[in-house]
Amino acid sequence: MLTPEAFTHVGGWLVEEDFYQHSHRLIYRAIRGLAEKNKPFDAVTLGEWFEANGLSEQVGGNHYLIELAKTTPSAANIKAYAEIVREKSVLRQLIEAGTQLVNRAEANGITASKLYLSGVADLAQVSVRLSHCVPDPVDLLADLIAPELHPSALPPILSDFAFSQSEVTGIEPDMFAHAALVACAGVIHDGFQVQPRKHEPDWLESARLWGLVCALSGKGKTTVEKKVFKAVRDINKEVLTSSAAQIDAWALQAEIAKTTRKRYTKEVADAEEGLAGLPGEPPGLPPKPKNIRLLMNEFTIEKVQEVAADNDRGLLIVVDELMGWFKSMDAYRNSGGKDRPLWLSFYNGGSQLFDRIGRGTTHVENWGGSLWGGCQPGVLAEFAKSDGDDGMLQRFIPLFSTRLPTMGRDVEPVRRPSMDFGSLIARLWGHEYTGHGRLHFSPEAYLQHNDLSQWALDRSNAGDLPPLMGSWLMKWTGLFCRLAVTLHCVDAALYQYHPTARPISGRTGEQVAGLMYSWMFPHAHAFYRFLSNTNAGPVRVVRDIASII
């Protein structure tokens, strides 16, 4: 409140929950809200904000705000103050995690391994707060099992959906969360793009995600696909029906226009022979309506080109088994085809011209989209040995599933009072794009993006990661942006504001960073370790030597 510009130094460090007192949480919420709207905040403007929102009594009124400003020595040491607040917050979270662990240990029926994994998952979430969202070092040579997703890692509506579906089906919540993120990204218009750097206006990232589930047969991939993408299929069916009706009406108009044009041609000929007067020009035919479509479950390059030409908002491709897609890229290689480069560019989006023998040239305004599917570990490992290192595999967010399904419970899935997952998908699809969808990071989210990008670069250059994983980390700077756009649009759908009305907040940036550090990184590490088979041979010897040292 003393020096508003100082907020940029701590906004990326602190969240509302870091404050112990409820009144201080509300004050920080108000400061952040005003800062994100580029409005001033001092004792007077904050007092007006609390009055307008009916919260003045909960913070002690204007008198307390003025007194708080008077009793603060200066803003010179604001970063040190923020570190103290965050340190105390982490200590409280550790106490809570320890208490929960004790309570679970005293419960009947829990095994030691399950208790251990739940404790690791809880502590992983706390570790995100220990050093500005950067995780502690891990044993890169250990047999790594990715920790289970923690409910707080996602927005509540996605978390409720993933964990309630997991309870009903017995399939790990990670699979549902993984697919749900791709489903949300897939229905968001590609025109909503964030500009990561202020002075690079040509670098834009959409909410376009590729997800790959590496799991054995019988782990529940098909069930997850059916439940997560049901709302997407419903929308797809609706738009296909509507498009078909418009195209049928246009076809009828075209037939009438054809008949009218023939009659006009004859009347012109009669007029030239003096048999009749010159007829009036018949009305022209309106443009053919686009065949709007959202979802595809097939991946032949010709079919996707055809559909993408009419759908510049982007496509969502969902396939139960991705190996067929990987192998199909070689189908035309002997005859000089370029299917693989085209699929690589599908991850990036943008305008594309396609030249095919016998098909002519097709222009696609936006050749891009989201993609989700699964692969069996053994089949994928064999394929990876012969696959080129062109970045195809690194475009995916891998989920390495090692947990066996359990018996589901016959209970009603959790539905949030305000909105369920299906309604969220519908609202994301309905966000109006009018040609302007440029998004921006708040100062806090901008710093979080920079910090994560630097961390990923350092880890990639360290040279101690499994083969191919360093290249995957180099895509983190863009992946952060894509996830941030996705969760920002989810927030906009929940609180009913247009995505361009607000910048991507520090809270969203912190949630994305935590998700990437504590969940995506361990899964990717396990995934690429499996592909490179580094548990055997020389690495085993290195581990033995390390244990002696």
Side-chain angles (χ1 to χ4, degrees), residues 165-173 176 219 404-409:
Q165 290 295 336
S166 174
E167 183 181 21
V168 171
T169 63
I171 301 168
E172 59 182 303
F176 286 102
K219 296 293 289 291
L404 295 175
T406 60
M407 180 65 72
R409 297 177 57 201

Side-chain angles (χ1 to χ4, degrees), residues 333 337-346 367 390 392:
R333 188 166 293 173
K338 299 180 180 180
D339 286 4
R340 191 177 182 94
L342 290 175
W343 281 120
L344 287 168
S345 65
F346 190 74
W367 174 247
D390 57 4
M392 176 63 76

Side-chain angles (χ1 to χ4, degrees), residues 254-270 279-283:
E255 194 62 35
I256 294 173
K258 183 179 178 181
T259 302
T260 304
R261 173 60 62 176
K262 286 183 178 179
R263 185 168 58 247
Y264 170 76
T265 303
K266 183 179 183 305
E267 290 175 352
V268 169
D270 290 344
E281 181 77 20

Side-chain angles (χ1 to χ4, degrees), residues 216-262:
L216 293 170
S217 179
K219 296 293 289 291
K221 296 191 296 290
T222 302
T223 300
V224 169
E225 187 272 329
K226 287 181 178 178
K227 289 184 174 292
V228 173
F229 296 99
K230 178 184 181 302
V232 179
R233 287 193 297 270
D234 291 342
I235 294 174
N236 193 56
K237 181 179 179 181
E238 182 180 334
V239 297
L240 279 174
T241 302
S242 176
S243 293
Q246 294 179 36
I247 291 172
D248 287 346
W250 177 87
L252 180 60
Q253 287 182 305
E255 194 62 35
I256 294 173
K258 183 179 178 181
T259 302
T260 304
R261 173 60 62 176
K262 286 183 178 179

Side-chain angles (χ1 to χ4, degrees), residues 117-174:
L117 288 174
S118 67
V120 169
D122 288 343
L123 291 175
Q125 295 303 311
V126 180
S127 72
V128 172
R129 301 292 297 144
L130 282 176
S131 57
H132 197 29
C133 295
V134 177
D136 292 332
V138 296
D139 178 7
L140 294 174
L141 300 178
D143 294 320
L144 179 62
I145 297 177
E148 185 174 320
L149 179 70
H150 194 277
S152 63
L154 290 170
I157 188 169
L158 298 183
S159 179
D160 287 350
F161 173 75
F163 280 84
S164 64
Q165 290 295 336
S166 174
E167 183 181 21
V168 171
T169 63
I171 301 168
E172 59 182 303
D174 304 58

